[in-house]
């Protein structure tokens, strides 16, 4: 490692280039210096420079893609890998605040947290069905085979995709889209949603109301009930 260069003194373009070079060495299992990439995260989070994220994403896209593909819940989701890559990086950028970052002293701890974000966004992707499920669908779920066939697995993926497509089609505005995506993809609590989208909501109570209204509307929706196996 070189001690002559202080990463904090480098211009952003030079810092991003060095981070990319060191990341390439990491993938080649060669000696590498993690200070440059850590400094990118520090500027993005501690200094609140949102433009830095545009340089972080390319450096870690391949790494996050590999984590997503290895996750046991990815294939069953039926989603494109980039959906979860963007979700994980987005969740990290929201939840790893300036205050929390002070507890991260090196790059490895940040990447461990990012890997947890990958796990979280994939698991939470499946939570929407649980929150909007009806009793009839729940009863049917109990009868499912403990060892589903490939055909049943494919059907389950198609079902979940149809569920999300219908859900998205039933969302009326940016408030509803932000609440549902934030709640079930980013796994944000109502207060965190309000903090992230203060320009959309008057207070945290409005976040609660929007979420409950959407879920209640979906439960009453005839097409949604039909998809879940309920009676009209």
């Amino acid at each position: 490692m070189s001690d002559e260069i202080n990463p904090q003194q480098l211009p952003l373009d030079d810092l991003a280039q060095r981070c990319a070079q060191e990341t390439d060495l990491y993938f080649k299992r060669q000696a590498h210096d993690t200070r440059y990439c850590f400094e990118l995260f520090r500027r993005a989070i501690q200094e609140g420079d949102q433009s830095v994220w545009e340089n972080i994403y390319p450096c870690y896209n391949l790494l996050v893609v590999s984590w997503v593909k290895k996750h046991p819940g990815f294939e069953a989701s039926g989603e494109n890998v980039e959906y979860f890559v963007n979700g994980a990086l987005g969740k990290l950028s929201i939840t790893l605040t300036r205050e929390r970052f002070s507890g991260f002293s090196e790059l490895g701890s940040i990447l461990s947290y990012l890997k947890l974000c990958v796990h979280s966004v994939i698991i939470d992707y499946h939570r929407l069905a649980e929150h909007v499920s009806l009793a009839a669908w729940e009863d049917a779920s109990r009868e499912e085979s403990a060892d589903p066939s490939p055909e049943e697995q494919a059907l389950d993926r198609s079902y979940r995709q149809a569920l999300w497509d219908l859900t998205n089609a039933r969302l009326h505005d940016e408030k509803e889209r932000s609440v549902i995506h934030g709640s079930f993809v980013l796994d944000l609590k109502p207060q965190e949603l309000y903090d992230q989208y203060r320009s959309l909501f008057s207070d945290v109570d409005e976040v609660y109301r929007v979420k409950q209204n959407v879920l209640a509307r979906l439960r009453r929706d005839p097409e949604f009930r039909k998809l879940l196996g309920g009676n009209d």
Side-chain angles (χ1 to χ4, degrees):
M1 295 184 184
S2 174
D3 294 324
E4 292 81 12
I5 301 175
N6 183 350
Q8 294 190 14
Q9 296 178 350
L10 286 177
L12 178 57
D13 288 345
D14 292 344
L15 182 65
Q17 183 178 11
R18 284 302 301 264
C19 177
Q21 291 171 349
E22 298 299 332
T23 301
D24 185 56
L25 291 174
Y26 165 79
F27 283 123
K28 293 178 179 177
R29 300 184 181 276
Q30 298 179 12
H32 57 283
D33 189 340
T34 62
R35 296 177 303 151
Y36 300 98
C37 295
F38 181 84
E39 173 61 15
L40 275 181
F41 281 104
R42 190 196 67 79
R43 292 187 190 184
I45 299 168
Q46 279 198 329
E47 296 183 1
D49 188 344
Q50 295 300 308
S51 65
V52 179
W53 289 106
E54 298 176 4
N55 294 281
I56 291 176
Y57 284 14
C59 288
Y60 290 101
N61 184 71
L62 288 178
L63 181 61
V64 180
V65 164
S66 70
W67 290 339
V68 170
K69 289 183 175 180
K70 292 176 182 177
H71 193 281
F74 167 63
E75 186 176 354
S77 73
E79 272 291 351
N80 185 283
V81 65
E82 288 298 331
Y83 178 88
F84 293 115
V85 171
N86 292 332
L89 288 165
K91 181 166 187 173
L92 180 139
S93 70
I94 293 172
T95 59
L96 188 51
T97 62
R98 182 181 292 107
E99 293 74 22
R100 294 186 67 182
F101 186 79
S102 61
F104 292 76
S105 59
E106 44 87 25
L107 181 65
S109 59
I110 298 175
L111 295 183
S112 294
Y113 185 80
L114 178 57
K115 192 172 185 179
L116 286 176
C117 289
V118 169
H119 173 76
S120 180
V121 295
I122 294 176
I123 293 300
D124 294 332
Y125 179 90
H126 299 285
R127 292 177 60 218
L128 182 60
E130 298 174 9
H131 281 262
V132 299
S133 62
L134 301 174
W137 179 70
E138 292 171 344
D139 291 340
S141 297
R142 297 190 188 103
E143 299 174 1
E144 291 180 351
S145 169
D147 187 19
S149 66
E151 292 80 8
E152 290 172 327
Q153 292 177 2
L155 183 61
D156 181 63
R157 288 195 296 271
S158 298
Y159 165 79
R160 290 185 181 277
Q161 185 62 55
L163 183 66
W164 270 98
D165 289 345
L166 183 57
T167 298
N168 288 327
R170 293 297 187 267
L171 300 179
H172 292 165
D173 52 32
E174 187 63 24
K175 286 185 178 181
E176 294 188 352
R177 285 188 289 272
S178 297
V179 167
I180 295 303
H181 181 269
S183 297
F184 299 108
V185 177
L186 301 180
D187 193 28
L188 299 179
K189 297 179 175 60
Q191 182 64 55
E192 293 173 322
L193 274 165
Y194 174 62
D195 292 340
Q196 181 67 21
Y197 301 109
R198 286 179 178 268
S199 61
L200 285 178
F201 303 102
S202 58
D203 52 36
V204 70
D205 288 338
E206 184 179 10
V207 176
Y208 279 103
R209 289 195 299 271
V210 170
K211 181 176 180 180
Q212 293 305 315
N213 287 341
V214 170
L215 296 181
R217 192 170 71 243
L218 289 175
R219 291 189 183 101
R220 296 192 302 267
D221 187 282
E223 287 189 52
F224 211 90
R225 290 176 62 88
K226 182 177 180 179
L227 182 61
L228 294 178
N231 296 321
D232 293 335

